Amino acid sequence: MPVYNAAGTLPETLQSIAAQTLCDFEVIAVDDGSDDDSGRVLEAWSRGDRRIHPVYAGRVGLVNALNHGLSLCRGALLARMDADDRMRPDRLARQAALLESRPDISVAGSLVQIFADGKVGEGMKVYETWLISLVEPGDIAREIFIESPIAHPSAMVRRDELVGLGGYRDAGWPEDYDLWLRYHAAGRRFAKVPEVLLYWREHADRLTRTDSRYSVENFLRVKAHFLVNGPLQDRDGLIVWGAGQTGRRLTRHIVRMGRPVDAFVDIAPRKIGSHMREAPVIGPDELPSTWIRYRHPMLIVAVSSRGARKLIRQALTDMDLAEVEDYLCAA
């Protein structure tokens, strides 16, 4: 659990950890150079509960704090937690049981409930609804290029696997999404306990709102990196459904990595017949004839308009295209 200036929420978080029904655990709480009372809160709790181990790393940043904590963990199973969230008393027990009963699963998440002192924003509500719709490995693998499918502080993993993947890395984009995409690229599987076990606090000072690594552009960069080095390998054709803003921004990064786009699909009459990134923009009715020009193509859906994904999936299903094998949604 990395901690930075969290004195106001730490007691609530630590109380929810101490109340776990699974009692055999240790808390590695890495204070990342806090200049509030976080250190004193941790010290007070550690005196009353020997399972809580404060670590003072200085101001090293989130990724270094995570890796420092990882190096000190002794358990075979590791649960992530943030210093401003709350967990249900049976969280650790339920996730440990999932991993112990399903050796094919590497990452055990759970459903989450977002809360805030004020109003939860509409965007976070939409994200929460999407997150809780993904439970089984196939659901998560199918949608992993849309957004980060596991709320980081809801995750439990196997220590040896996380270490084997190199721990966390700072590549200039979201460290948690990078980690899940590395798990996915390595063929590892995800599943969730289908109940809310984590209460995830939303507030204006969250890193996802204040750190540029979590910008939309950096989410697109990490998607492009893993698409080009994963599903787009050995594909002789790349078709992107979406010549709007999302498609333009995503393909900018894909093309920069040396992968050209062969065609765009769009429904806007003013775009059809034009070119973008030196590729023609075609209408959906032209897609079947374009598709058969290639031996083994891949289509990326890059339309972020609400409701568009469902309609596009239906159109591609009507073409007898299979998700994951023939196309992936990336928005």
Side-chain angles (χ1 to χ4, degrees):
M1 181 174 70
V3 178
Y4 179 68
N5 286 353
T9 56
L10 256 177
E12 189 178 4
T13 298
L14 291 167
Q15 179 60 51
S16 76
I17 296 173
Q20 291 298 296
T21 58
L22 187 159
C23 299
D24 184 16
F25 63 83
E26 61 179 357
V27 180
I28 306 298
V30 183
D31 188 340
D32 184 23
S34 297
D35 53 21
D36 67 355
D37 286 333
S38 295
R40 284 185 283 275
V41 172
L42 289 172
E43 285 294 337
W45 276 80
S46 68
R47 287 193 294 270
D49 189 333
R50 298 178 63 184
R51 297 172 300 182
I52 298 173
H53 305 291
V55 178
Y56 300 100
R59 189 72 175 119
V60 297
L62 176 60
V63 172
N64 288 329
L66 288 168
N67 282 326
H68 186 49
L70 171 59
S71 73
L72 298 173
C73 290
R74 297 175 295 166
L77 302 179
L78 304 186
R80 268 285 286 113
M81 187 61 174
D82 280 343
D84 55 359
D85 298 332
R86 302 193 301 258
M87 60 172 75
R88 212 171 78 176
D90 57 346
R91 176 201 165 184
L92 297 182
R94 296 291 301 278
Q95 290 183 307
L98 188 157
L99 289 174
E100 288 166 2
S101 66
R102 298 178 66 176
D104 62 307
I105 300 301
S106 295
V107 180
S110 77
L111 306 191
V112 300
Q113 181 176 315
I114 299 172
F115 71 101
D117 293 336
K119 186 178 180 181
V120 176
E122 183 62 25
M124 288 301 292
K125 289 180 181 178
V126 171
Y127 182 45
E128 178 188 72
T129 299
W130 178 74
L131 277 178
I132 65 178
S133 73
L134 308 177
V135 174
E136 289 301 319
D139 303 328
I140 297 168
R142 183 186 69 242
E143 309 225 343
I144 196 165
F145 286 104
I146 294 173
E147 244 278 19
S148 181
I150 304 284
H152 196 190
S154 76
M156 180 180 284
V157 303
R158 304 179 193 277
R159 183 186 184 281
D160 289 348
E161 288 187 339
L162 177 54
V163 171
L165 285 170
Y168 293 90
R169 67 179 185 181
D170 186 352
W173 51 52
E175 83 293 331
D176 52 347
Y177 196 18
D178 173 81
L179 181 63
W180 305 145
L181 289 169
R182 281 190 284 137
Y183 267 95
H184 179 69
R188 303 293 198 269
R189 287 156 59 86
F190 306 74
K192 295 177 185 176
V193 177
E195 295 180 38
V196 173
L197 300 181
L198 181 87
Y199 301 95
W200 200 17
R201 190 186 300 268
E202 163 71 347
H203 56 84
D205 295 328
R206 282 180 54 192
L207 277 179
T208 51
R209 294 191 176 277
T210 61
D211 193 314
S212 63
R213 286 178 301 170
Y214 306 98
S215 68
V216 172
E217 204 65 30
N218 281 324
F219 268 94
L220 294 172
R221 284 179 60 227
V222 68
K223 289 181 190 183
H225 174 85
F226 282 93
L227 283 167
V228 169
N229 290 290
L232 295 182
Q233 291 283 312
D234 302 319
R235 301 286 181 148
D236 61 338
L238 170 58
I239 301 169
V240 176
W241 191 314
Q245 184 181 56
T246 301
R248 288 196 307 273
R249 293 172 74 178
L250 176 62
T251 56
R252 178 171 63 245
H253 298 295
I254 289 175
V255 170
R256 282 176 177 172
M257 295 186 66
R259 178 65 203 232
V261 179
D262 295 292
F264 287 89
V265 181
D266 207 279
I267 62 171
R270 62 183 178 81
K271 295 177 183 176
I272 296 170
S274 65
H275 282 71
M276 190 168 77
R277 311 221 182 280
E278 301 182 0
V281 180
I282 63 174
D285 57 330
E286 298 177 77
L287 178 57
S289 60
T290 301
W291 184 264
I292 61 174
R293 295 175 191 169
Y294 303 97
R295 177 185 54 82
H296 191 40
M298 172 62 79
L299 186 146
I300 303 296
V301 177
V303 181
S304 56
S305 302
R306 194 171 299 179
R309 193 188 310 140
K310 180 179 180 180
L311 296 173
I312 295 170
R313 275 178 165 148
Q314 185 58 57
L316 296 174
T317 298
D318 292 344
M319 279 184 59
D320 293 325
L321 299 185
E323 194 160 4
V324 178
E325 174 57 32
D326 297 316
Y327 74 92
L328 287 164
C329 292

